[in-house]
Amino acid sequence: YMLEQGIYPNEILAITFTNKAAQEMRERVHNLVGPAADRIWMYTFHSFGARFLRREIASYPPYTDRFTIYDSDDSKTLVKNCLKELNLDDKQYQPNAMQNRISSAKNQLIDPKKYRELAGSNFFNQKAADVYELYDKHMKENNALDFDDLLYITTKLLSIETIRKRWQDRFHYILIDEYQDTNPVQDAVIASVARGDNLFMVGDVKQSIYRFRQAEPANFL
């Protein structure tokens, strides 16, 4: 319907949560409109972040557009290396727990400096802050992003007015599925790209399933 009204395909951004849902969305739209579907930005949140960063990350040094994306195993390996470098016992400071803390911090838009401030005088939290800082340092040295960085760093770049304006001008219509499952970093990405009058959200707070990833159904309400 939107294309029939003369809206250009590349002015539309459509986001859903899973790769399977995004693929199904692409197939359905392609069956409806044909090749024009290829020019519509239809992605998961993280796929959108990856494509955005390939174009913009040079404005966030020391990263370059040739960055590597670490999967969960790569990330865990780096956490283990950080624990060794800091002489921390990986039984007391379990790699999974440290990895989850870093992931949770990024999804709540908490950088290493802020994380240390929030740690206060708690010894364990201070050591976790050490791990987060060293992890962040090595990620930058390796020109590598983890899964959470795809959105976390996207929000950092969208805080730059010229970049934010460029992407707000690009997308005239933004459609988001399952909005009840957005967390703070996802909500921040959309808030930055949307102009306020061009956002269409679908969701049901009773179907929220991602609270373990800091999803906040209140974003939708």
Side-chain angles (χ1 to χ4, degrees), residues 58-116:
S59 297
Y60 193 75
Y63 284 108
T64 76
D65 61 3
R66 298 175 68 84
F67 62 81
T68 299
I69 299 174
Y70 279 8
D71 63 19
S72 181
D73 289 339
D74 297 326
S75 175
K76 187 183 295 182
T77 297
L78 181 55
V79 168
K80 289 178 179 177
N81 291 340
C82 290
L83 291 170
K84 287 180 183 176
E85 195 173 336
L86 293 166
N87 293 316
L88 294 175
D89 182 356
D90 63 6
K91 292 184 175 58
Q92 183 177 0
Y93 301 92
Q94 295 182 358
N96 277 344
M98 293 296 104
Q99 187 178 17
N100 289 338
R101 278 177 172 247
I102 293 170
S103 175
S104 178
K106 290 180 180 180
N107 280 301
Q108 296 178 75
L109 300 169
I110 299 171
D111 63 18
K113 182 179 178 182
K114 181 67 174 176
Y115 191 90
R116 183 169 295 285

Side-chain angles (χ1 to χ4, degrees), residues 67-195:
F67 62 81
T68 299
I69 299 174
Y70 279 8
D71 63 19
S72 181
D73 289 339
D74 297 326
S75 175
K76 187 183 295 182
T77 297
L78 181 55
V79 168
K80 289 178 179 177
N81 291 340
C82 290
L83 291 170
K84 287 180 183 176
E85 195 173 336
L86 293 166
N87 293 316
L88 294 175
D89 182 356
D90 63 6
K91 292 184 175 58
Q92 183 177 0
Y93 301 92
Q94 295 182 358
N96 277 344
M98 293 296 104
Q99 187 178 17
N100 289 338
R101 278 177 172 247
I102 293 170
S103 175
S104 178
K106 290 180 180 180
N107 280 301
Q108 296 178 75
L109 300 169
I110 299 171
D111 63 18
K113 182 179 178 182
K114 181 67 174 176
Y115 191 90
R116 183 169 295 285
E117 291 173 3
L118 294 172
S121 59
N122 182 282
F123 184 79
F124 186 92
N125 290 342
Q126 283 290 340
K127 292 302 178 184
D130 290 342
V131 175
Y132 188 8
E133 285 177 354
L134 188 58
Y135 177 90
D136 184 63
K137 175 175 177 284
H138 288 319
M139 290 292 281
K140 288 173 178 171
E141 290 171 349
N142 297 339
N143 194 30
L145 307 180
D146 62 25
F147 198 57
D148 299 302
D149 285 327
L150 297 177
L151 297 180
Y152 174 71
I153 295 178
T154 291
T155 65
K156 299 289 187 183
L157 285 160
L158 286 169
S159 69
I160 301 170
E161 186 174 356
T162 52
I163 295 176
R164 183 172 64 253
K165 181 73 163 58
R166 180 159 61 243
W167 287 82
Q168 286 179 343
D169 289 344
R170 181 185 186 99
F171 298 121
H172 296 187
Y173 299 90
I174 301 173
L175 304 92
I176 315 290
D177 195 19
E178 307 289 0
Y179 210 92
Q180 79 278 352
D181 282 323
T182 55
N183 60 26
V185 71
Q186 292 163 336
D187 191 50
V189 169
I190 298 305
S192 296
V193 175
R195 296 195 304 261

